Amino acid sequence: MAIPDQLSVVGIHDVDLMQYLRPAVTAVRMPMYQLGRAGVEALYDLIAGQPSEGGVITDPEPEPELVIRDSATALTRIPD
């Protein structure tokens, strides 16, 4: 398959390596510090016997960001 001509590839959790691959991989850059903090807080709540929200981030700051590179292209038509 030809990427991105026949198939777009989008990764999650943008890492430095993605920009050096060929084609460079389009990715969603996530707020990793905030995700880690929410996970630790949820674990702390569970250890303390308190109800937990499960590490869900309802108001991420910064928001996830789409980093557009060479592995994805705009949809020109909806396949049949």
Side-chain angles (χ1 to χ4, degrees):
M1 290 200 135
I3 297 174
D5 299 329
Q6 295 175 306
L7 176 71
S8 288
V9 175
V10 178
I12 193 146
H13 301 306
D14 185 38
V15 294
D16 290 337
L17 175 66
M18 290 190 178
Q19 66 184 322
Y20 299 112
L21 298 173
R22 291 295 167 244
V25 178
T26 296
V28 178
R29 184 174 292 146
M30 302 295 290
M32 297 306 290
Y33 176 83
Q34 291 78 2
L35 288 170
R37 182 181 176 119
V40 169
E41 288 174 355
L43 180 59
Y44 178 79
D45 288 344
L46 289 172
I47 291 170
Q50 299 174 5
S52 172
E53 294 180 15
V56 175
I57 297 176
T58 58
D59 188 22
E61 193 59 43
E63 291 186 358
E65 172 189 358
L66 180 62
V67 181
I68 300 173
R69 297 194 181 102
D70 300 328
S71 69
T73 188
L75 185 62
T76 56
R77 69 176 182 80
I78 298 174
D80 298 328

